[in-house]
């Protein structure tokens, strides 16, 4: 078994790269070929282009895939490109089942799938992609189970809920298949072999808090009442999370834990209505016992390390990671803490999903907030040396720990095991308390404000400027040819350059005047200058550019930055100023870099 990872920004680029893969396939002559396509494109006409390119480029391949919230390549996050995981099997035959259906057909289709699997005596694994928001997920998944078969079942739910998307593409769920694009239904890949070994591993890492609660009123996806009160009151009372536009973001670190078929599963709010009803994509049945949980970075890391050792002992030839997009949001820029430990395994790839599926004898479980790893081998596999026991420091934002403390204060009298709960919280507080207040506001690498905080400060500055009739200036800074630094000298050196440029930027800021600097993302920074016009801001920008140019970066030499400058005009919105500052930066890069452009 072998696996090739292909990334592309367009269907034309993919077409070119597939020619090389096809040549390898013709030489190696595998028994079967599987392409998993994880697309960051959601417009269906573009998806159709990729689908056709795959069918023409690799006509011998089984094709499956879906929209992606980010790809995982060699156990690290890859942004901005589509990922195509091409697996060659020497001893395994693949078959696919494609079903397009909607509400009312869940039971019929699940019965058909069960029958198809049961009649194939050498089935070793089943991979399932579904559009579960299009029909009754619980009825469909609960109806899929296999008689007297030890089969590994895994896959992904495809919701297509695209943050900040226009209405024309929001909730554009789709699944790729050999037959084309499925907008509502399921695609099943059946692995048939007498020498294929597939193991599935799950990592949660969220720990229960407080007393047990009961869902006292719910429908398919809507939890209306918990302990006979509006469901929202649990978050309001214990964690002081208001029912506002930030409700979902604030509850990411605090999902409910319950059980499906005697297995722990997490349920995270996808929305909270004005009535206080909590909508969960996976749903929680009425009468189900639940508890709140909190994301414990230290516990997650330990579970990840234990998982890695189990995978090493399995000796996989290929490794797939289906990681929940909510975990990515939880970790923010630290997601590599969760993924990185698997970078020693051969060809480790995957994507950030909207719901992870894995099968047990009683049915298929719809997971949320779950790290799911699938290891495969044909024959004996590949043996790796034991891993060193790295000490990984994991941290999280202060808001989470504050809410944990509030939870403990309000529920101490009703905790079933107060001492155990307090010891968990104390361990967290002891290891993180020194850095909490600072880290909640800053980017861990550069120590400048993180994006969330600098956006808030910019917003406040615009509000104040409007009230006072003054102005605001923004400076956008981008390190020139930064990718070459990482590619030539390594990411550690790249991080050093980011830190030193950040220090130079910070030295230009007078915090007494409410000036601020933040990391905007990657190698891009932003400087807020309240009260400045474009002339004054240009002087600051030019001084900053010159100091970077004259700075000697250890082991790298001299580097440069491109800088865009703009100041707010009367009647302009924040968005107008952001767009113009971004355009100024683009023009600085387009016209030769290492310069300041004012628009």
């Amino acid at each position: 078994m072998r696996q090739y990872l292909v990334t592309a920004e367009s269907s034309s680029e993919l077409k070119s790269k597939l020619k090389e893969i096809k040549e390898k396939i013709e030489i190696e002559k595998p028994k079967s070929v599987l392409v998993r396509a994880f697309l960051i494109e959601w417009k269906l006409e573009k998806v159709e282009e990729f689908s056709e390119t795959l069918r023409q480029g690799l006509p011998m391949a089984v094709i499956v895939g879906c929209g992606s919230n980010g790809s995982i390549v060699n156990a690290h996050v890859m942004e901005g490109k589509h990922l195509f995981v091409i697996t060659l099997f020497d001893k395994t035959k693949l078959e696919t089942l494609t079903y397009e259906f909607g509400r009312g057909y869940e039971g019929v289709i699940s019965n058909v799938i069960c029958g198809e699997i049961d009649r194939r005596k050498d089935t070793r694994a089943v991979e399932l992609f579904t559009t579960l928001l299009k029909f009754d997920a619980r009825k469909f998944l609960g109806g899929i189970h296999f008689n007297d078969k030890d089969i590994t079942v895994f896959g992904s739910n495809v919701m297509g809920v695209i943050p900040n998307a226009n209405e024309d593409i929001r909730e554009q769920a789709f699944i790729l298949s050999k037959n084309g694009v499925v907008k509502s239904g399921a695609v099943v890949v059946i692995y048939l072999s007498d020498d294929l070994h597939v193991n599935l591993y799950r990592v949660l890492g969220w720990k229960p808090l407080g007393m047990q609660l009961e869902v006292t009123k719910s429908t398919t996806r809507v939890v209306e009442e918990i302990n006979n009160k509006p469901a929202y009151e649990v978050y309001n009372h214990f964690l002081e999370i208001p029912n506002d536009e930030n409700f979902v973001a604030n509850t990411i670190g605090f999902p409910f834990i319950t059980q499906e078929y005697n297995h722990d599963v997490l349920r995270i709010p996808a929305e909270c209505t004005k009535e206080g009803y909590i909508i969960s994509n996976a749903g929680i049945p009425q009468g189900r016992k639940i508890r709140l949980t909190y994301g414990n970075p230290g516990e997650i890391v330990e579970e990840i390390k234990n998982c890695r050792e189990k995978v090493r002992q399995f000796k996989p030839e290929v490794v797939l990671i289906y990681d929940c997009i909510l975990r990515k949001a939880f970790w923010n820029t630290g997601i590599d803490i969760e993924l990185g430990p698997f970078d020693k395994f051969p060809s480790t790839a995957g994507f950030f999903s909207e719901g992870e599926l894995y099968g047990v004898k009683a049915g298929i479980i719809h997971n949320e907030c779950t790290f799911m790893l699938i290891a495969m081998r044909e024959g004996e596999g590949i043996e790796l040396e034991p891993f060193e026991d790295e000490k990984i420091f994991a941290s999280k934002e202060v808001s989470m720990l504050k809410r944990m403390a509030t939870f403990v204060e309000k529920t101490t009298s009703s905790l079933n095991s107060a001492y155990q709960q307090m010891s968990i919280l104390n361990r967290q507080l002891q290891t993180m308390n020194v850095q909490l207040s600072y880290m909640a506001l800053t980017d861990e690498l550069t120590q400048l404000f993180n994006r969330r905080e600098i956006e808030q400060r910019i917003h406040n500055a615009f509000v104040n400027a409007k009230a006072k009739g003054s102005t605001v200036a923004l400076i956008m800074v981008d390190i020139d040819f930064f990718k070459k630094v990482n590619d030539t000298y390594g990411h550690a050196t790249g991080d050093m350059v980011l830190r030193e440029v950040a220090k130079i930027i910070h030295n230009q800021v007078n915090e007494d005047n409410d000036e601020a600097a933040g990391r905007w993302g990657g190698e891009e920074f932003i400087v807020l200058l309240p009260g400045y016009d474009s002339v004054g801001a240009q002087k600051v920008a030019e001084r900053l550019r010159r100091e970077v140019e004259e700075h000697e970066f250890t082991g790298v030499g001299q580097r440069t930055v491109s800088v865009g400058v703009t100041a707010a005009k009367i009647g302009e919105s924040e968005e107008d100023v952001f767009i113009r500052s971004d355009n100024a930066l683009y023009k600085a890069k387009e016209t030769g870099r290492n310069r300041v452009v004012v628009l």
Side-chain angles (χ1 to χ4, degrees):
M1 184 187 302
R2 296 157 313 286
Q3 193 157 266
Y4 301 105
L5 308 183
V6 175
T7 62
E9 294 183 354
S10 64
S11 56
S12 59
E13 182 183 359
L14 174 63
K15 181 178 180 180
S16 175
K17 291 185 176 181
L18 288 182
K19 291 179 180 179
E20 181 181 346
I21 299 296
K22 186 178 180 182
E23 290 174 0
K24 291 181 179 180
I25 292 172
E26 291 171 347
I27 294 172
E28 298 178 20
K29 294 180 169 41
K31 187 169 185 176
S32 56
V33 179
L34 173 62
V35 179
R36 295 183 186 86
F38 301 122
L39 305 181
I40 58 173
E41 175 62 68
W42 296 90
K43 292 184 178 179
L44 289 177
E45 60 269 23
K46 294 292 185 180
V47 173
E48 293 280 4
E49 285 183 23
F50 281 105
S51 177
E52 185 63 25
T53 299
L54 287 171
R55 290 200 298 271
Q56 292 185 5
L58 297 178
M60 76 295 290
V62 167
I63 299 169
V64 70
C66 61
S68 165
N69 290 284
S71 300
I72 300 167
V73 177
N74 294 322
H76 293 283
V77 177
M78 182 197 70
E79 303 284 6
K81 291 187 178 182
H82 313 285
L83 172 63
F84 305 88
V85 182
I86 303 171
T87 310
L88 278 56
F89 297 87
D90 296 317
K91 305 176 182 180
T92 302
K93 180 183 177 182
L94 301 176
E95 294 184 11
T96 58
L97 307 172
T98 301
Y99 303 96
E100 293 200 56
F101 65 95
R103 294 188 181 277
Y105 293 90
E106 297 91 341
V108 174
I109 300 300
S110 60
N111 285 335
V112 171
I113 291 174
C114 291
E116 292 286 348
I117 302 302
D118 284 336
R119 72 180 181 83
R120 290 168 169 83
K121 303 304 180 185
D122 54 351
T123 302
R124 292 292 174 267
V126 172
E127 189 167 3
L128 173 67
F129 286 80
T130 64
T131 58
L132 292 182
L133 289 190
K134 302 292 186 178
F135 43 83
D136 189 329
R138 190 171 301 280
K139 185 175 181 180
F140 175 69
L141 296 178
I144 301 178
H145 43 80
F146 312 115
N147 298 326
D148 303 320
K149 282 182 178 285
D150 185 16
I151 300 173
T152 302
V153 182
F154 65 95
S156 176
N157 172 33
V158 184
M159 291 183 289
V161 179
I162 311 153
N164 304 318
N166 296 328
E167 289 300 321
D168 60 337
I169 63 170
R170 188 170 175 82
E171 297 192 12
Q172 285 272 49
F174 65 85
I175 309 170
L176 290 178
S177 76
K178 182 76 173 181
N179 300 326
V181 179
V182 176
K183 300 175 185 177
S184 177
V187 175
V188 182
V189 180
I190 307 170
Y191 296 75
L192 305 163
S193 176
D194 58 2
D195 197 14
L196 173 68
H197 307 272
V198 183
N199 271 10
L200 186 148
Y201 308 86
R202 287 196 319 154
V203 173
L204 297 182
W206 266 249
K207 297 301 177 183
L209 281 171
M211 61 184 179
Q212 193 174 71
L213 307 168
E214 181 180 347
V215 175
T216 48
K217 189 177 181 181
S218 71
T219 56
T220 304
R221 292 177 54 220
V222 181
V223 179
E224 296 184 18
E225 293 182 2
I226 297 175
N227 283 5
N228 297 308
K229 295 181 179 180
Y232 151 75
E233 288 298 329
V234 173
Y235 284 105
N236 184 39
H237 178 70
F238 292 135
L239 299 170
E240 296 185 347
I241 295 176
N243 186 7
D244 58 17
E245 67 275 8
N246 298 315
F247 178 81
V248 173
N250 288 331
T251 57
I252 283 176
F254 305 94
F256 293 116
I257 191 167
T258 185
Q259 286 206 327
E260 296 276 356
Y261 306 127
N262 296 317
H263 289 251
D264 287 341
V265 293
L266 299 170
R267 295 289 179 257
I268 192 77
E271 185 181 344
C272 187
T273 70
K274 62 181 181 181
E275 296 86 4
Y277 300 163
I278 291 176
I279 299 175
S280 167
N281 291 323
I284 309 176
Q286 189 166 307
R288 186 67 56 84
K289 304 297 183 183
I290 62 174
R291 292 172 74 181
L292 277 172
T293 67
Y294 71 98
N296 184 322
E299 296 284 351
I300 295 173
V301 168
E302 286 305 310
E303 286 195 31
I304 286 288
K305 289 163 68 175
N306 291 337
C307 173
R308 180 180 65 174
E309 177 57 23
K310 292 177 182 177
V311 176
R312 186 190 71 82
Q313 294 178 13
F314 176 74
K315 304 177 185 178
E317 291 180 293
V318 301
V319 173
L320 300 171
I321 294 177
Y322 291 177
D323 202 359
C324 184
I325 183 61
L326 297 173
R327 294 176 76 96
K328 186 182 180 186
F330 171 81
W331 284 109
N332 197 5
T333 56
I335 184 63
D336 268 357
I337 291 174
E338 179 163 293
L339 301 175
F342 297 95
D343 62 5
K344 300 296 189 299
F345 291 102
S347 192
T348 300
F351 78 118
F352 291 99
S353 71
E354 297 170 311
E356 305 71 53
L357 306 178
Y358 98 105
V360 296
K361 289 189 180 297
I364 297 178
I365 296 175
H366 183 183
N367 296 269
E368 293 183 296
C369 273
T370 301
F371 176 97
M372 197 168 75
L373 184 144
I374 305 96
M376 293 186 178
R377 61 177 167 83
E378 293 177 313
E380 296 300 318
I382 300 173
E383 187 164 355
L384 294 177
E385 293 294 322
F387 299 108
E388 294 182 5
D389 186 20
E390 311 102 319
K391 292 184 178 179
I392 304 172
F393 177 73
S395 60
K396 199 61 190 84
E397 296 177 0
V398 66
S399 59
M400 177 175 296
L401 272 299
K402 280 186 174 180
R403 288 179 180 132
M404 286 162 54
T406 302
F407 183 98
V408 172
E409 291 170 1
K410 292 197 174 186
T411 61
T412 297
S413 61
S414 59
L415 289 175
N416 296 326
S417 53
Y419 177 78
Q420 293 179 0
Q421 299 294 340
M422 286 300 295
S423 66
I424 291 173
L425 294 174
N426 284 336
R427 287 204 307 270
Q428 288 292 99
L429 292 170
Q430 287 168 7
T431 56
M432 301 178 190
N433 198 43
V434 175
Q435 301 182 20
L436 287 179
S437 58
Y438 185 65
M439 293 180 68
L441 307 178
T442 59
D443 172 66
E444 186 174 359
L445 177 64
T446 64
Q447 301 303 298
L448 297 179
F449 289 125
N450 58 32
R451 181 159 181 160
R452 180 185 299 175
E453 180 62 21
I454 193 66
E455 280 183 336
Q456 185 61 51
R457 288 175 178 255
I458 290 171
H459 173 73
N460 293 342
F462 271 87
V463 171
N464 291 336
K466 185 176 181 180
K468 297 177 181 179
S470 59
T471 187
V472 179
L474 297 179
I475 298 174
M476 297 287 287
V477 182
D478 186 270
I479 302 175
D480 295 330
F481 304 111
F482 181 72
K483 185 176 184 299
K484 290 185 178 180
V485 176
N486 281 334
D487 293 345
T488 305
Y489 302 100
H491 287 278
T493 300
D495 288 348
M496 176 273 294
V497 171
L498 286 170
R499 284 192 295 268
E500 293 193 18
V501 169
K503 186 176 181 180
I504 292 171
I505 292 173
H506 184 263
N507 289 340
Q508 307 302 318
V509 171
N510 184 353
E511 295 178 348
D512 292 338
N513 292 336
D514 293 327
E515 299 170 19
R519 187 180 181 187
W520 199 242
E523 65 272 24
E524 195 168 275
F525 304 88
I526 191 165
V527 180
L528 166 67
L529 299 175
Y532 277 68
D533 58 16
S534 58
V535 176
Q538 182 179 12
K539 292 179 182 179
V540 176
E542 186 59 44
R543 187 166 62 245
L544 185 159
R545 183 205 62 80
R546 186 173 61 253
E547 291 197 17
V548 173
E549 182 182 29
E550 295 172 353
H551 184 78
E552 189 74 21
F553 293 88
T554 306
V556 181
Q558 292 178 309
R559 310 304 304 175
T560 62
V561 292
S562 298
V563 188
V565 178
T566 194
K569 300 174 183 178
I570 295 175
E572 276 193 316
S573 67
E574 293 175 47
E575 183 179 2
D576 293 334
V577 182
F578 271 119
I579 291 172
R580 196 165 62 254
S581 63
D582 194 54
N583 289 340
L585 175 60
Y586 178 79
K587 188 172 182 180
K589 293 163 67 176
E590 188 181 37
T591 54
R593 293 184 168 84
N594 190 25
R595 63 190 60 209
V596 175
V597 170
V598 182
L599 289 180

